[in-house]
Amino acid sequence: MAGSATARLARKAASRLGLARPAGVLLAITLASAPVAAEDVPDRPDYVGSEACVECHEGEWEDWTGSHHDLAWTETSEGVLADFDDTAFSHRGITSRFTREGETLFIESDGPDGAMTRWPVAGVIGIEPLQQYFVETEPGRFQTFDIPWDTERNEWFHMYAEQHLPASDAFHWTGPYKTWNNRCAECHATDYQRNFDPQEGRYSSTMSEIGVGCEACHGPGATHIAWANDGPGEAWPPEGLGATGLTIDFTSADIETEIQQCAACHSRRGPLEGGSPLPGTPLHDAYRLSTLRAPLYHPDGQILDEVYVYGSFLQSKMYEKGVTCSDCHDVHSATHYNEGNGICMSCHSPAGNPEFPTLRLAEYDSPEHHFHEQGSEGAQCVSCHMIERVYMGVDGRHDHSFRVPRPDLSVATGAPNACTDCHAAEGPFWAQAELEKRFPDSAYRGPHFATAFAAIRGGDIGARDELIEIALSDQPGIVRATALELLAPVAEPVHADQLAPLLLDLDPLVRANAVPVQRQALPEMMVERLLPLLTDDRRVVRNAAAREMLAAPVANLSEQHRGALSSAMGEWQQTLAVTTDFPETQLILGGIALTTRNLQGAMASFREAVRIDPQMTQAWSMLARLEAAAGRPEAAREVLQAAIAANPDAAELQVLLDQLP
């Protein structure tokens, strides 16, 4: 919850919960909590580095060496592909220069104040089709530079060439959304911890190994090595470890463990911890997965923004039938097992695959199925079933929902389709007619959640009944969770009753998104329904329940329930505390401070939000409203003038200014 919404929902909670009200930016509130005692947490094995694995796992080591995982982050002394021999690149009036002095590489460009500044290159990101670099703009803070090297064309290019991103913009390369420490590094390192000090505003980030090493996926290896060398000791295995002394075990019987471990990086999500979770941590204990919301996904769930595969894969028949990442990808070399249509034909062929006995056995790699010249681009499985979109300027990535093209949904919702990706001139009406002619009995027609999602996105609350039907259906969990998220702002009390069973759904993403719908229930009924979720087995659900209970009548709770509430509230506080360098967290903290009638804390958090991100208009608006409500119209005017200077196109800020006396 943010801003006025938080205040509206939770205004009466402060006295009921007995919340303390300290001022300050770190946390606008202090919640009672029941922290876990250190002695109750099993000792974690030490990280030992990937080189310790070579002796026993030479084949895997050779596959991994030089892979995209291995080279996700390297030192400047290794494998720099760009030309730093006094080259230059100009973009929107700024000429950046790339030079070297001995072994040290330098980038000169516009800094956070707009002035041309020269920095030594601090690190190298990736290997192909682009290689990016980052610099240390202040002690401990690293920023990713927006002009990387195109490894195929061998030239510098701007990743956001169509955007005007001056130094005053939060999306400028020196802004908060390009900070390596909190937006990128976790997925390019092993055992990475952000270690942000909110009082000093500084990072002292650490990692066990740069690059995605063996232990990034398999967990810390010290105990495993001891087991391999000396055999199991007494009382084996130690608490929290598997039979081989690792925190995670990948077995064919537990495919979800593998998928969630990959998803920790290959998904669009918000962190619940201060760095890399221990391998084996369930995804919903470490992250808040994004739903199919705009502007991340098209209404039909196709990828739109950079969403990193997992959210689309959850929608697929592949996921439903038990396909895992390693069925198609070699996890050590990070390559496919086959090339071209051969990847798909290993299962989708007349021979099939005995591991997936429900597959229809048919010849798909033929013109009778794809209606294109054999071997042509149109005859590739991915051209129709895994559309490609380009991110970071040159990096093409495939949608992993493995969908059948639906030109009819393009007509109804504006979502793209694979047919008109190539046949743009013919258009979606032509494409739909062709599909109907060629596949007259196709099951891939008829109602689709896309129409309801598009309608509610467009403000049509008449789509609520469809959203309820979707939420209660047997569709993929991420689809049902999205329906719940879209419904929550426009729900009515009857909807809270209808959807209460979803608080017990098997999917944590559904449970977490069912929680906000209960705002519309009678307060006592909301409490009754949400109390069990305070001890849910997934942190993302506990956080969601604690968030809503902030507005609940809890004076007469039993001692057991008071303990559960206190623990869940404390855990939610910890989630916020480790992300205070995110402007969106400061917005939430400001709203919570309003709930606890802590005006000073609210103002501090909203000011911190706009300091980090001057384009966060919600925080500017709240600052102005609070100044005006406190009887300081001139101060409110100054806030809005500063806000409009940073956001000249934000009409709502000008409206607020015009309304001041």
Side-chain angles (χ1 to χ4, degrees):
M1 269 172 287
S4 59
T6 304
R8 183 173 64 253
L9 288 169
R11 197 175 304 278
K12 295 182 287 186
S15 60
R16 290 172 176 151
L17 292 178
L19 302 176
R21 303 171 188 167
V25 173
L26 170 58
L27 281 177
I29 59 171
T30 297
L31 295 168
S33 62
V36 177
E39 59 269 22
D40 294 335
V41 180
D43 289 337
R44 187 191 75 178
D46 291 331
Y47 283 82
V48 294
S50 294
E51 290 190 3
C53 307
V54 181
E55 183 177 351
C56 296
H57 303 283
E58 185 176 357
E60 290 81 358
W61 166 270
E62 290 178 353
D63 288 341
W64 170 80
T65 301
S67 70
H68 281 252
H69 284 158
D70 176 22
L71 303 178
W73 174 359
T74 53
E75 304 281 5
T76 55
S77 59
E78 307 172 39
V80 172
L81 301 178
D83 185 354
F84 278 86
D85 291 328
D86 197 18
T87 55
F89 181 86
S90 296
H91 177 69
R92 293 185 179 267
I94 301 293
T95 298
S96 301
R97 305 197 68 83
F98 308 89
T99 58
R100 68 171 69 236
E101 292 181 10
E103 297 299 317
T104 305
L105 308 177
F106 291 90
I107 294 175
E108 181 181 8
S109 194
D110 56 330
D113 57 359
M116 297 299 290
T117 309
R118 189 169 182 249
W119 298 271
V121 174
V124 182
I125 311 167
I127 188 66
E128 62 177 3
L130 71 156
Q131 189 174 75
Q132 197 175 5
Y133 307 92
F134 63 83
V135 304
E136 188 173 16
T137 55
E138 59 184 70
R141 180 184 294 269
F142 299 95
Q143 297 289 141
T144 57
F145 194 54
D146 277 351
I147 301 174
W149 182 256
D150 185 328
T151 63
E152 296 181 359
R153 294 185 174 87
N154 290 319
E155 62 184 17
W156 297 104
F157 73 99
H158 201 290
M159 284 197 295
Y160 309 102
E162 302 303 316
Q163 301 180 35
H164 177 51
L165 300 172
S168 59
D169 194 291
F171 282 92
H172 183 260
W173 75 270
T174 61
Y177 302 109
K178 307 294 176 64
T179 301
W180 173 253
N181 306 71
N182 70 357
R183 300 286 174 173
C184 314
E186 180 182 320
C187 288
H188 291 256
T190 302
D191 185 31
Y192 179 81
Q193 303 300 321
R194 290 194 298 279
N195 297 331
F196 177 71
D197 183 337
Q199 301 298 339
E200 297 295 328
R202 292 186 181 276
Y203 293 93
S204 54
S205 303
T206 62
M207 73 291 300
S208 297
E209 182 179 356
I210 66 171
V212 182
C214 306
E215 293 166 298
C217 301
H218 292 281
T223 304
H224 173 70
I225 290 177
W227 165 83
N229 290 335
D230 305 324
E234 294 183 9
W236 188 266
E239 184 180 356
L241 302 182
T244 62
L246 293 170
T247 60
I248 183 171
D249 287 323
F250 298 107
T251 66
S252 59
D254 183 16
I255 61 175
E256 193 64 23
T257 293
E258 176 195 309
I259 293 172
Q260 290 194 22
Q261 186 61 34
C262 296
C265 285
H266 294 275
S267 65
R268 187 70 173 260
R269 74 289 187 276
L272 303 179
E273 299 183 0
S276 302
L278 193 65
T281 302
L283 182 75
H284 299 287
D285 279 352
Y287 299 104
R288 183 178 56 256
L289 182 68
S290 296
T291 63
L292 308 180
R293 67 173 73 101
L296 304 183
Y297 296 86
H298 289 286
D300 64 348
Q302 289 187 76
I303 58 174
L304 175 56
D305 202 1
E306 196 170 11
V307 290
Y308 310 104
V309 175
Y310 182 61
S312 56
F313 184 58
L314 288 179
Q315 304 170 56
S316 70
K317 292 288 186 183
M318 297 277 204
Y319 176 73
E320 179 188 341
K321 298 298 184 181
V323 174
T324 70
C325 311
S326 61
D327 285 320
C328 301
H329 303 269
D330 184 300
V331 295
H332 295 107
S333 66
T335 60
H336 294 109
Y337 286 120
N338 212 324
E339 298 296 329
N341 285 353
I343 303 169
C344 304
M345 293 306 110
S346 62
C347 292
H348 296 279
S349 68
N353 185 329
E355 292 188 17
F356 304 103
T358 62
L359 276 174
R360 177 172 172 261
L361 305 182
E363 180 61 71
Y364 293 98
D365 191 13
S366 72
E368 285 71 28
H369 176 73
H370 53 63
F371 296 96
H372 289 79
E373 182 181 348
Q374 196 72 4
S376 68
E377 183 178 353
Q380 300 304 302
C381 304
V382 296
S383 295
C384 293
H385 301 295
M386 296 182 73
I387 59 166
E388 183 180 68
R389 296 293 179 255
V390 176
Y391 302 101
M392 304 182 78
V394 298
D395 193 3
R397 303 179 198 169
H398 289 285
D399 188 311
H400 278 59
S401 57
F402 304 100
R403 65 185 61 237
V404 172
R406 290 286 302 263
D408 59 316
L409 295 180
S410 298
V411 175
T413 71
N417 71 87
C419 301
T420 52
D421 267 6
C422 294
H423 299 278
E426 290 86 347
F429 288 100
W430 168 86
Q432 181 59 24
E434 287 294 314
L435 288 179
E436 290 176 356
K437 178 173 64 178
R438 298 177 184 194
F439 300 97
D441 300 320
S442 173
Y444 296 96
R445 297 197 184 105
H448 193 279
F449 64 80
T451 54
F453 287 5
I456 201 74
R457 286 183 183 188
D460 179 8
I461 64 171
R464 289 184 300 188
D465 289 344
E466 291 177 76
L467 293 177
I468 292 168
E469 184 178 345
I470 293 166
L472 294 171
S473 72
D474 60 356
Q475 297 210 51
I478 194 169
V479 174
R480 297 187 292 124
T482 305
L484 289 165
E485 183 181 67
L486 292 170
L487 180 66
V490 294
E492 295 181 353
V494 65
H495 303 141
D497 296 338
Q498 285 178 281
L499 297 170
L502 296 183
L503 296 169
L504 303 176
D505 195 87
L506 293 177
D507 191 324
L509 188 62
V510 173
R511 296 200 300 277
N513 282 280
V515 169
V517 177
Q518 294 305 314
R519 296 170 192 167
Q520 299 304 321
L522 292 172
E524 294 77 9
M525 184 59 69
M526 184 186 79
V527 170
E528 181 180 337
R529 290 169 178 168
L530 296 189
L531 278 175
L533 274 63
L534 295 172
T535 55
D536 192 273
D537 61 355
R538 291 294 168 258
R539 182 173 183 171
V540 70
V541 181
R542 298 193 297 271
N543 279 189
R547 191 170 179 163
E548 297 306 323
M549 289 291 285
L550 196 62
V554 295
N556 297 317
L557 289 182
S558 67
E559 182 176 350
Q560 176 185 355
H561 286 143
R562 283 199 304 271
L565 177 60
S566 176
S567 179
M569 285 287 185
E571 187 177 49
W572 180 36
Q573 176 189 352
Q574 293 163 8
T575 296
L576 297 172
V578 297
T579 56
T580 52
D581 52 334
F582 287 55
E584 52 268 44
T585 296
Q586 293 295 337
L587 196 66
I588 294 171
L589 293 175
I592 298 172
L594 288 180
T595 301
T596 62
R597 306 188 184 103
N598 178 9
L599 180 61
Q600 184 181 359
M603 297 286 282
S605 289
F606 291 137
R607 287 194 187 100
E608 180 69 359
V610 299
R611 185 197 67 77
I612 301 172
D613 179 2
Q615 281 69 56
M616 187 163 276
T617 56
Q618 310 100 303
W620 283 115
S621 174
M622 288 304 303
L623 280 171
R625 292 176 187 276
L626 289 173
E627 294 284 15
R632 297 189 290 267
E634 284 306 313
R637 191 179 306 278
E638 291 177 7
V639 166
L640 287 170
Q641 288 170 344
I644 292 169
N647 303 276
D649 297 327
E652 68 275 16
L653 296 175
Q654 186 63 53
V655 169
L656 280 178
L657 182 61
D658 293 341
Q659 291 174 345
L660 288 175

